[in-house]
Amino acid sequence: MFGTSGIRGPVGRTVTADLALRIGRAVGCDSRTVVVGQDARLSGDVLTDAVSAGLRESGADVIRLGVVSTPTVARAVGWLGADAGIAVTGSHNPASDNGLKLWSSSGRAFDRAQTREIVHRLNRGDIERADWDAFGDERLSPGVSARHVDHLVSAFDPFDGLTVAFDLGNGTGRVSVDALHQLGATVNTLDGQYDGRFPARKSEPTAETLSALRQTVPALGADIGLAHDSDADRLVAVDETGTYVDGDSLLALFARDAVEPGDAVAVPVDTSLLVQDVVEDAGGSVAYTPVGDVNVAEAVAHPGFVFGGEQSGVWIWPDETLAPDGHYAALKLAELVTRTGPLSEQVASLGDTAYTTRRTSVETENADHAMDRIARDLYATYDDIDATDGLRVDTDDGWFLVRASGTEPLIRVTAEARDPDTADELFDEVCSLVEGVRIAA
């Protein structure tokens, strides 16, 4: 039921009002107060109503936040003294999808033990409904986005003279724009109005979907281009020349900025060797986790960790929050450019070592079945396989990873080597294997 980042899938099939009602009941059993927010998707109202009904039927009071970003939901749990939070969001998935992500009072997403208990509770039917006169109440709290802006403004020095182009993709990222503006930056927005159909571009911000932003930044003479997905837990960037900054480079920049000698950062197993090299050069160390912001958050909650992230655009500074906050990340990157100089120069400063990374996703109807067949073939060929998350094979010249997506019916394939030809060979080899399994299935 729960993938690497909550429940997510097609509305009407995987994600239904009945499911939202049941999740609300299960969370409400041991909660007094729960905050509930939603992204801008067209299905959000129905699913949020169902979640609220389930929570109140179990006796929990509900604080409705309205249409807000997922980081705002996560922070609001603590700000409003609630026991849990539920974000109704499909994150970077297509407009036809939606989902549910659960948050604890610490601002951290429910971990595996907590989600497992929710599933067991549903399977056992172990849900107590409140008496007719003990149903929970519902109230609105429409000011949390403004509170989020105020918090960010208080955490950063002014950005006077900075010009930003910001692609919101018709999602809920307005907090970033308002905070930058209040800090003195000149902000030009693209597709800043809510529209749950995401007509301007796909919700997931990538080099391909951000063509308008890449053209706008140099046309305006902006210092940086920034973009969120639909619920603003992700943040990606375009440098001042209009060049998309790949996720591993951005991860390395954030990590290098955060690390002092002896500090640690957490990254998933599909992260480029670039990050390890940069962090170790700064005197820090890297810990590898399964893919998913929940797993990164679990790691950075331990002492000694100063940062964690994923090349997908998820960034966590544990001293600030254990939730991926794309708004905070946007201001951190603006701060880095203001303090250190053009983003293109910072990326170049990561070093001249060539890291060639190839990534793709292969659609499949049954990812678990496909991974079983892929595992059989790989174990017949390679002796040393890391199964922390998916199947990772390290070779003399590079590595590759095959894993099932935790949020979509996809097999993710990554290959990396310092030599481009070697990276291509590894990538072609593993892609042929995955495609063969998919076709055979």
Side-chain angles (χ1 to χ4, degrees), residues 34-381:
V34 180
V35 299
V36 180
Q38 64 191 85
D39 70 17
R41 291 164 195 266
L42 302 185
S43 56
D45 287 345
V46 170
L47 295 174
T48 305
D49 286 345
V51 165
S52 178
L55 288 165
R56 287 180 287 142
E57 190 179 25
S58 292
D61 291 332
V62 174
I63 304 176
R64 290 279 286 261
L65 307 181
V67 177
V68 296
S69 72
T70 293
T72 298
V73 176
R75 288 180 180 269
V77 181
W79 285 341
L80 300 178
D83 302 299
I86 300 178
V88 177
T89 175
S91 191
H92 60 278
N93 280 33
S96 56
D97 287 6
N98 213 326
L100 302 163
K101 191 162 185 177
L102 312 183
W103 299 94
S104 65
S105 57
S106 67
R108 175 173 155 187
F110 271 32
D111 60 25
R112 283 168 291 182
Q114 289 172 300
T115 55
R116 191 179 301 118
E117 175 57 30
I118 294 295
V119 173
H120 287 169
R121 188 174 291 169
L122 292 173
N123 289 339
R124 295 191 305 261
D126 185 19
I127 297 175
E128 293 186 11
R129 291 172 174 78
D131 292 335
W132 64 273
D133 57 351
F135 276 24
D137 295 323
E138 180 182 272
R139 64 181 174 88
L140 301 180
S141 183
V144 289
S145 290
R147 181 169 181 172
H148 202 160
V149 172
D150 291 342
H151 174 81
L152 295 174
V153 170
S154 69
F156 290 89
D157 293 329
F159 299 135
D160 295 333
L162 185 73
T163 300
V164 181
F166 215 126
D167 186 337
L168 297 180
N170 302 120
T172 57
R174 185 76 197 188
V175 163
S176 298
V177 172
D178 290 346
L180 285 165
H181 176 72
Q182 289 192 31
L183 285 164
T186 299
V187 188
N188 303 273
T189 59
L190 284 74
D191 304 306
Q193 70 278 15
Y194 293 150
D195 191 329
R197 301 167 300 171
F198 311 128
R201 65 164 169 87
K202 293 181 179 179
S203 175
E204 184 171 10
T206 66
E208 292 73 27
T209 61
L210 296 178
S211 58
L213 180 64
R214 290 189 286 113
Q215 295 171 15
T216 299
V217 170
L220 291 174
D223 298 296
I224 191 172
L226 303 172
H228 288 314
D229 60 345
S230 73
D231 68 334
D233 62 349
R234 293 187 174 192
L235 181 281
V236 302
V238 170
D239 72 18
E240 74 282 1
T241 71
T243 301
Y244 181 82
V245 180
D246 68 90
D248 288 308
S249 294
L250 200 53
L251 179 50
L253 287 175
F254 279 141
R256 184 176 67 180
D257 182 61
V259 166
E260 298 288 344
D263 290 337
V265 302
V267 298
V269 293
D270 62 348
T271 302
S272 170
L273 293 171
L274 167 66
V275 177
Q276 178 179 315
D277 291 349
V278 167
V279 169
E280 290 180 350
D281 284 347
S285 61
V286 172
Y288 289 95
T289 74
V291 174
D293 61 86
V294 173
N295 300 307
V296 174
E298 184 176 354
V300 298
H302 291 91
F305 283 85
V306 294
F307 175 71
E310 295 188 303
Q311 57 83 24
S312 62
V314 165
W315 322 111
I316 301 174
W317 287 265
D319 287 345
E320 173 66 23
T321 176
L322 289 172
D325 188 340
H327 306 303
Y328 187 81
L331 271 68
K332 286 291 285 187
L333 192 55
E335 178 187 59
L336 200 57
V337 170
T338 302
R339 171 166 41 90
T340 310
L343 186 55
S344 63
E345 294 180 8
Q346 294 189 51
V347 172
S349 75
L350 293 172
D352 56 6
T353 301
Y355 302 86
T356 301
T357 307
R358 303 282 189 249
R359 287 188 170 93
T360 192
S361 298
V362 179
E363 292 185 2
T364 179
E365 292 185 1
N366 190 325
D368 290 337
H369 177 64
M371 285 300 300
D372 288 342
R373 296 192 59 179
I374 292 167
R376 181 191 64 194
D377 292 346
L378 287 180
Y379 278 106
T381 307

Side-chain angles (χ1 to χ4, degrees), residues 368-430:
D368 290 337
H369 177 64
M371 285 300 300
D372 288 342
R373 296 192 59 179
I374 292 167
R376 181 191 64 194
D377 292 346
L378 287 180
Y379 278 106
T381 307
Y382 298 94
D383 295 326
D384 189 12
I385 298 178
D386 183 347
T388 297
D389 183 12
L391 302 166
R392 174 170 169 147
V393 176
D394 287 277
T395 68
D396 292 337
D397 302 314
W399 60 273
F400 66 79
L401 172 72
V402 185
R403 57 175 293 275
S405 168
T407 58
E408 299 174 87
L410 302 171
I411 299 293
R412 310 283 193 190
V413 179
T414 307
E416 182 181 54
R418 288 185 170 85
D419 175 68
D421 291 338
T422 303
D424 288 340
E425 290 172 6
L426 287 171
F427 186 67
D428 290 343
E429 176 185 344
V430 69

